[in-house]
Amino acid sequence: MSHEPSPPSSGPPPPGRRQRLRARWADRHALPRFGFWLLSRGVVVLAVGGALYVVNGFLIGWADAYDVMLGITSPAEVRPQWCAWPLSLMGWAAIPAIVGAAAGYVITEQIKAHRARELSEVLSELRSLAVPPSPPPASGDGE
Protein backbone atom coordinates (compact mmCIF):
# COMPACT_ATOMS: atom_id res chain seq x y z
CA MET A 1 0.00 0.00 0.00
CA SER A 2 1.70 3.12 -1.13
CA HIS A 3 0.81 6.31 0.55
CA GLU A 4 1.35 9.34 -1.61
CA PRO A 5 1.91 12.54 0.29
CA SER A 6 -0.73 15.18 -0.23
CA PRO A 7 0.40 18.21 -2.20
CA PRO A 8 1.47 21.17 -0.08
CA SER A 9 -1.30 23.59 0.77
CA SER A 10 -1.10 26.89 -1.07
CA GLY A 11 -3.35 28.79 1.31
CA PRO A 12 -6.98 28.78 2.29
CA PRO A 13 -9.59 27.47 -0.12
CA PRO A 14 -11.22 30.04 -2.39
CA PRO A 15 -14.27 31.73 -0.90
CA GLY A 16 -17.66 30.30 -1.72
CA ARG A 17 -20.54 32.15 -3.32
CA ARG A 18 -22.07 33.06 0.04
CA GLN A 19 -18.79 34.51 1.31
CA ARG A 20 -18.29 36.52 -1.89
CA LEU A 21 -21.82 37.94 -1.66
CA ARG A 22 -21.31 38.80 2.00
CA ALA A 23 -18.02 40.57 1.18
CA ARG A 24 -19.67 42.42 -1.70
CA TRP A 25 -22.50 43.55 0.61
CA ALA A 26 -19.96 44.74 3.20
CA ASP A 27 -18.16 46.74 0.49
CA ARG A 28 -21.23 48.90 -0.09
CA HIS A 29 -19.90 51.28 2.58
CA ALA A 30 -17.15 52.26 0.13
CA LEU A 31 -19.74 53.61 -2.31
CA PRO A 32 -20.54 57.31 -2.54
CA ARG A 33 -23.30 58.46 -0.20
CA PHE A 34 -26.06 58.37 -2.81
CA GLY A 35 -25.04 54.94 -4.07
CA PHE A 36 -25.01 53.64 -0.51
CA TRP A 37 -28.44 55.14 0.16
CA LEU A 38 -29.85 53.59 -3.01
CA LEU A 39 -28.62 50.14 -2.00
CA SER A 40 -29.63 50.36 1.64
CA ARG A 41 -32.77 52.51 1.88
CA GLY A 42 -33.69 53.38 -1.69
CA VAL A 43 -34.41 49.77 -2.62
CA VAL A 44 -37.02 49.63 0.14
CA VAL A 45 -38.69 52.87 -0.97
CA LEU A 46 -38.70 51.79 -4.61
CA ALA A 47 -40.05 48.34 -3.70
CA VAL A 48 -42.89 49.83 -1.64
CA GLY A 49 -43.72 52.23 -4.49
CA GLY A 50 -43.65 49.43 -7.04
CA ALA A 51 -45.81 47.19 -4.85
CA LEU A 52 -48.35 49.99 -4.34
CA TYR A 53 -48.50 50.58 -8.08
CA VAL A 54 -48.98 46.88 -8.88
CA VAL A 55 -51.68 46.42 -6.22
CA ASN A 56 -53.51 49.51 -7.48
CA GLY A 57 -53.07 48.39 -11.07
CA PHE A 58 -54.92 45.17 -10.34
CA LEU A 59 -57.60 46.76 -8.13
CA ILE A 60 -58.43 50.05 -9.87
CA GLY A 61 -56.89 49.56 -13.30
CA TRP A 62 -53.48 50.42 -14.66
CA ALA A 63 -54.46 53.73 -16.25
CA ASP A 64 -56.24 54.89 -13.09
CA ALA A 65 -53.29 53.83 -10.94
CA TYR A 66 -50.98 55.87 -13.16
CA ASP A 67 -53.29 58.88 -13.01
CA VAL A 68 -53.61 58.64 -9.21
CA MET A 69 -49.85 58.32 -8.76
CA LEU A 70 -49.20 61.42 -10.90
CA GLY A 71 -51.98 63.41 -9.25
CA ILE A 72 -54.08 63.67 -12.42
CA THR A 73 -56.96 61.86 -10.74
CA SER A 74 -57.88 62.26 -7.09
CA PRO A 75 -57.79 59.07 -5.03
CA ALA A 76 -61.28 60.00 -3.83
CA GLU A 77 -62.62 59.44 -7.37
CA VAL A 78 -61.60 55.77 -7.67
CA ARG A 79 -62.85 52.65 -5.95
CA PRO A 80 -61.45 51.14 -3.73
CA GLN A 81 -59.98 54.22 -2.12
CA TRP A 82 -58.04 52.44 0.64
CA CYS A 83 -55.27 51.48 -1.77
CA ALA A 84 -55.32 54.65 -3.88
CA TRP A 85 -54.49 57.05 -1.03
CA PRO A 86 -51.07 55.50 -0.21
CA LEU A 87 -50.22 55.46 -3.93
CA SER A 88 -51.22 59.10 -4.22
CA LEU A 89 -49.03 60.03 -1.25
CA MET A 90 -46.13 58.08 -2.73
CA GLY A 91 -46.49 59.89 -6.04
CA TRP A 92 -46.98 63.27 -4.40
CA ALA A 93 -44.24 63.17 -1.75
CA ALA A 94 -41.79 60.27 -1.97
CA ILE A 95 -41.03 60.17 -5.69
CA PRO A 96 -40.31 63.94 -6.03
CA ALA A 97 -38.18 63.76 -2.87
CA ILE A 98 -36.09 60.93 -4.31
CA VAL A 99 -35.68 62.69 -7.65
CA GLY A 100 -34.76 65.95 -5.92
CA ALA A 101 -32.25 64.19 -3.68
CA ALA A 102 -30.65 62.49 -6.68
CA ALA A 103 -30.40 65.77 -8.60
CA GLY A 104 -28.97 67.57 -5.56
CA TYR A 105 -26.41 64.85 -5.02
CA VAL A 106 -25.28 64.84 -8.66
CA ILE A 107 -24.96 68.64 -8.69
CA THR A 108 -23.01 68.63 -5.42
CA GLU A 109 -20.61 65.98 -6.71
CA GLN A 110 -20.04 67.95 -9.91
CA ILE A 111 -19.27 71.10 -7.93
CA LYS A 112 -16.82 69.18 -5.73
CA ALA A 113 -15.15 67.66 -8.78
CA HIS A 114 -14.55 71.08 -10.31
CA ARG A 115 -13.17 72.61 -7.13
CA ALA A 116 -9.49 72.51 -8.02
CA ARG A 117 -7.82 74.15 -5.04
CA GLU A 118 -8.27 74.12 -1.31
CA LEU A 119 -9.52 77.23 0.47
CA SER A 120 -6.25 77.64 2.41
CA GLU A 121 -4.35 77.72 -0.90
CA VAL A 122 -6.59 80.44 -2.30
CA LEU A 123 -6.35 82.52 0.90
CA SER A 124 -2.55 82.34 1.00
CA GLU A 125 -2.41 83.45 -2.66
CA LEU A 126 -4.75 86.37 -1.92
CA ARG A 127 -2.63 87.39 1.08
CA SER A 128 0.53 87.39 -1.02
CA LEU A 129 -1.21 89.54 -3.63
CA ALA A 130 -2.38 91.99 -0.95
CA VAL A 131 1.16 92.78 0.22
CA PRO A 132 2.07 96.25 -1.13
CA PRO A 133 4.85 96.25 -3.71
CA SER A 134 8.30 97.36 -2.61
CA PRO A 135 9.33 100.89 -3.68
CA PRO A 136 11.32 101.16 -6.91
CA PRO A 137 15.10 101.39 -6.56
CA ALA A 138 16.54 104.89 -6.40
CA SER A 139 18.21 106.13 -9.57
CA GLY A 140 21.92 107.00 -9.39
CA ASP A 141 21.81 110.26 -11.47
CA GLY A 142 21.74 112.59 -8.44
CA GLU A 143 19.55 115.17 -10.13
Side-chain angles (χ1 to χ4, degrees), residues 14-108:
R17 179 180 291 171
R18 175 180 270 172
Q19 289 173 329
R20 286 193 312 262
L21 286 174
R22 188 175 294 160
R24 196 59 78 115
W25 183 250
D27 289 344
R28 74 188 187 283
H29 292 288
L31 292 171
R33 287 185 325 204
F34 186 66
F36 176 75
W37 182 86
L38 274 178
L39 282 177
S40 60
R41 309 279 192 287
V43 171
V44 174
V45 172
L46 293 174
V48 168
L52 281 171
Y53 184 75
V54 168
V55 166
N56 278 278
F58 283 116
L59 293 177
I60 66 175
W62 297 102
D64 285 338
Y66 179 79
D67 289 345
V68 167
M69 185 175 71
L70 292 183
I72 297 170
T73 302
S74 170
E77 296 175 8
V78 296
R79 297 286 182 255
Q81 289 183 3
W82 64 267
C83 62
W85 282 103
L87 180 67
S88 177
L89 289 174
M90 177 69 76
W92 179 75
I95 293 173
I98 292 169
V99 171
Y105 178 78
V106 168
I107 291 169
T108 301

